[in-house]
Amino acid sequence: MRVIIFGASGMVGHGALRACLLDEAVTEVLVVVRSALPLEHPKLRQIVHADFTDYTAVQGQLKDLDACFFCLGVSAVGRGEEEYTRVTYDYTLAAARAVHAANPSLTFVYVSGEGTDSTGRSRQMWARVKGRTENDLLAMPMHAYMFRPGYIQPVNGASSRTPVYRLVYRVTGGLYPLLRRAFPRHVTTTDAVGQAMLAVTRLQGAGPTVLHNSDINRLVAAEPGQAPRPPHA
């Protein structure tokens, strides 16, 4: 299986990349980045690209892909709706259209967030923008899954690029085992998110298309060596 990842330099993208590099079923991983990652691996190939709204220049490199994991995103804090929409909506749809055009049977996984509003009526700008993004991805003729994780604990080297979030994760890191026991449906890890992305590629469009932390954890808990069970709604 050949996978392409957008946002591999971020916290969630780190989990997706790590899962792909460790999975024997994945033969090649392409990452689309503005600056090359300081990482070398036999499976890894990097596409350095500047304009995330136009992939014409690299379209020829986007062929023969089985899955796309779109982990690129920014915090809405301190950003206006126009700027946030450009990154959250424009970048995502541009990537989806580019990879789908070259790979019609590809599975597309978009990392959204708990609280995303698909109705467009939320008072929270970020929730409306993410909801619009999800809706337009699901309207495309491809296997698409929307991941809406709540609390994600970074593990195995994953780190948030937002300073305030890094501080929060440092404080809560030691509490994660307790959080997992107390709120198993609401917490997960970067590794689990990456593993669940690979799991949904084997569902071939089956199961709910919007997944929350409990669904992500359930997919990862599927028995080793067997196809993952579709998560329940």
Side-chain angles (χ1 to χ4, degrees):
M1 178 167 65
R2 299 181 73 241
V3 178
I4 187 168
I5 301 174
F6 293 80
S9 63
M11 187 182 88
V12 176
H14 179 280
L17 177 57
R18 185 171 188 274
C20 288
L21 295 179
L22 291 174
D23 194 309
E24 293 182 356
V26 178
T27 57
E28 185 175 29
V29 187
L30 280 68
V31 296
V32 180
V33 290
R34 284 199 174 93
S35 300
L37 300 179
L39 175 66
E40 293 186 2
H41 190 280
K43 292 184 184 181
L44 180 64
R45 183 159 66 88
Q46 306 196 42
I47 300 175
V48 178
H49 186 65
D51 187 354
F52 279 25
T53 63
D54 185 354
Y55 292 94
T56 305
V58 296
Q59 190 68 45
Q61 301 180 59
L62 307 182
K63 298 177 180 179
D64 302 319
L65 299 172
D66 300 291
C68 175
F69 301 156
F70 197 90
C71 310
L72 190 155
V74 294
S75 169
V77 177
R79 290 183 170 85
E81 185 164 354
E82 182 177 355
E83 179 187 0
Y84 187 73
T85 297
R86 178 174 174 80
V87 176
T88 303
Y89 180 86
D90 295 348
Y91 286 8
T92 308
L93 268 293
R97 289 166 181 148
V99 297
H100 176 258
N103 312 274
S105 61
L106 170 140
T107 295
F108 192 95
V109 180
Y110 171 59
V111 181
S112 183
E114 191 66 49
T116 293
D117 173 43
S118 300
T119 70
R121 296 193 294 266
S122 176
R123 297 177 64 181
Q124 300 294 321
M125 176 271 289
W126 71 265
R128 297 193 307 272
V129 175
K130 282 185 176 290
R132 178 187 171 203
T133 305
E134 286 189 356
N135 290 342
D136 285 1
L137 289 172
L138 291 170
M140 294 179 65
M142 63 182 180
H143 298 320
Y145 292 91
M146 309 295 107
F147 276 31
R148 291 187 182 180
Y151 179 83
I152 306 174
Q153 180 63 40
V155 295
N156 291 315
S159 177
S160 173
R161 302 181 70 178
T162 304
V164 67
Y165 291 170
R166 287 200 300 272
L167 177 60
V168 170
Y169 288 128
R170 279 200 296 270
V171 172
T172 59
L175 299 175
Y176 178 72
L178 177 61
L179 293 173
R180 184 177 58 189
R181 288 194 296 271
F183 309 103
R185 292 177 56 85
H186 302 289
V187 300
T188 191
T189 67
T190 49
D191 277 2
V193 173
Q195 292 162 15
M197 290 180 179
L198 288 170
V200 297
T201 66
R202 296 186 281 271
L203 296 179
Q204 293 295 305
T209 55
V210 177
L211 295 88
H212 302 268
N213 272 358
S214 58
D215 305 310
I216 290 167
N217 293 336
R218 188 179 299 116
L219 281 170
V220 175
E223 294 183 18
Q226 297 186 15
R229 296 182 295 273
H232 300 293

